[in-house]
Amino acid sequence: MRGFFQQIRKSMVRKSNFRKYVFYAIGEILLVVIGILIALQINNWNEKQKNKKEELITLKNLKVELSQNLEQLNFKIEGVKSVINGDSLLIQNMNTDVFEKTQDSLGQMLHWISSPITYDPSDGVINDIINSGKINLISNDELRLSITSWDRNLNEAKEIEKFLEQLSFDQLRPYLLDKASNRNAYSNQIGESPFSWKPSEVMKDKVFENLLVRSTEFFTILKSRYDYLKLEILKMLSIIDEVIED
């Protein structure tokens, strides 16, 4: 095609038909431009298809990770609820002799409420999406925002976990080591303790009550953080399913 135009152009020049020569020259340029535009469109289409394929692979991997994290989170939420209920039961029975004849049950409960709870989700896929630049492959704006906000939301829960861990190891556990017997909580494995202790020394102590109130307060905050993380995971899973189905 280009050789054909060159022959016409030379013929036009020889015949001094300048106006027609200009028209043919413009036509040749337009054909070249159109060819370039078509090539660019094809290249863009291929690039979009490639990105879409990579996005779907990334989202499927993210779905697996989020599903596993959701399963762990549900377990942790139940654990937090159990601690809150245990704290509440003890607070309601402060300054009473309800547990005086059930030392073992109280010991087990004290061991449970003094055990820290942490949520440790897998983050390999999310970190890879953010650090490798794959975040730009995510076509859904809401999902992209949730992914980039995940680490911040998780850290908010981690801050509460850290406080509760300090409360447990620095105050609650040292208190219980002095006042109660932890051995009976493991009596099936190591036998019962030969030392006696009085639940009333714990249940009628204002210091212990204050520790329980503090624990309940922050475990309640932790539950709200976990609940929010759960909502975020469910939202991301829902969006991922919609994108994959499309």
Side-chain angles (χ1 to χ4, degrees), residues 121-215:
S122 300
D123 56 7
V125 177
I126 283 187
N127 285 341
D128 179 62
I129 290 174
I130 296 174
N131 297 332
S132 68
K134 291 181 181 178
I135 189 67
N136 296 319
L137 295 173
I138 308 302
S139 55
N140 186 282
D141 293 338
E142 190 174 7
L143 178 57
R144 190 164 57 247
L145 178 61
S146 292
I147 292 173
T148 55
S149 302
W150 173 256
D151 193 54
R152 184 186 71 246
N153 294 330
L154 180 61
N155 284 336
E156 290 180 358
K158 286 295 181 186
E159 290 177 2
I160 305 301
E161 289 177 353
K162 184 177 180 180
F163 175 86
L164 285 167
E165 186 174 309
Q166 291 175 339
L167 178 66
S168 175
F169 287 110
D170 295 345
Q171 298 181 59
L172 188 54
R173 284 194 173 189
Y175 174 87
L176 293 176
L177 284 173
D178 179 57
K179 299 288 185 178
S181 173
N182 287 335
R183 180 174 175 178
N184 289 344
Y186 303 97
S187 59
N188 291 335
Q189 291 81 26
I190 58 178
E192 295 185 1
S193 173
F195 300 101
S196 62
W197 65 285
K198 294 182 179 180
S200 59
E201 292 183 4
V202 174
M203 297 303 296
K204 294 184 179 183
D205 189 350
K206 185 175 67 175
V207 173
F208 181 57
E209 182 182 55
N210 289 336
L211 290 173
L212 289 176
V213 171
R214 197 68 167 157
S215 173

Side-chain angles (χ1 to χ4, degrees), residues 5-16:
F5 274 98
Q6 286 177 343
Q7 291 179 4
I8 294 177
R9 185 166 63 247
K10 291 178 181 178
S11 176
M12 295 290 180
V13 173
R14 285 196 297 266
K15 295 177 181 180
S16 301

Side-chain angles (χ1 to χ4, degrees), residues 211-229:
L211 290 173
L212 289 176
V213 171
R214 197 68 167 157
S215 173
T216 303
E217 176 187 358
F218 279 88
F219 266 110
T220 301
I221 296 174
L222 181 61
K223 182 179 179 300
S224 69
R225 296 287 191 271
Y226 283 175
D227 287 340
Y228 183 76
L229 289 175

